[in-house]
Amino acid sequence: MAMKAQSNKAIEQPKPFTPGVTRAMVRQHAYEMFRDKLPEHPLTLEDWVLAEKDLVNSLEADDVTK
């Protein structure tokens, strides 16, 4: 039986897809989120996307509470 192979290959940080969010903002948030994973295991595309989504959600939550 064939199983799905999951690639955990490290990639360069992709350009953020959310307007107003910079790579530096996403990078800082990703390093805070994945502190236990780094530096032994580089971040994958899924990690970068998750970090950006979490950052946007936290920025929106901060905006709503103000």
Side-chain angles (χ1 to χ4, degrees):
M1 291 184 118
M3 294 180 62
K4 285 187 179 180
Q6 191 173 36
S7 174
N8 287 336
K9 186 178 177 184
I11 63 159
E12 287 189 34
Q13 182 180 358
K15 183 178 177 186
F17 57 89
T18 307
V21 175
T22 65
R23 284 184 178 185
M25 293 167 66
V26 176
R27 185 179 316 117
Q28 180 63 36
H29 193 71
Y31 287 158
E32 291 171 6
M33 282 182 66
F34 300 109
R35 186 174 304 161
D36 59 333
K37 185 176 182 178
L38 296 167
E40 293 85 20
H41 302 285
L43 298 179
T44 63
L45 177 61
E46 291 81 14
D47 294 336
W48 287 115
V49 171
L50 180 63
E52 183 176 349
K53 287 181 180 180
D54 189 66
L55 174 62
V56 170
N57 286 338
S58 65
L59 290 174
E60 287 176 349
D62 287 346
D63 224 16
V64 170
T65 59
K66 289 183 182 180

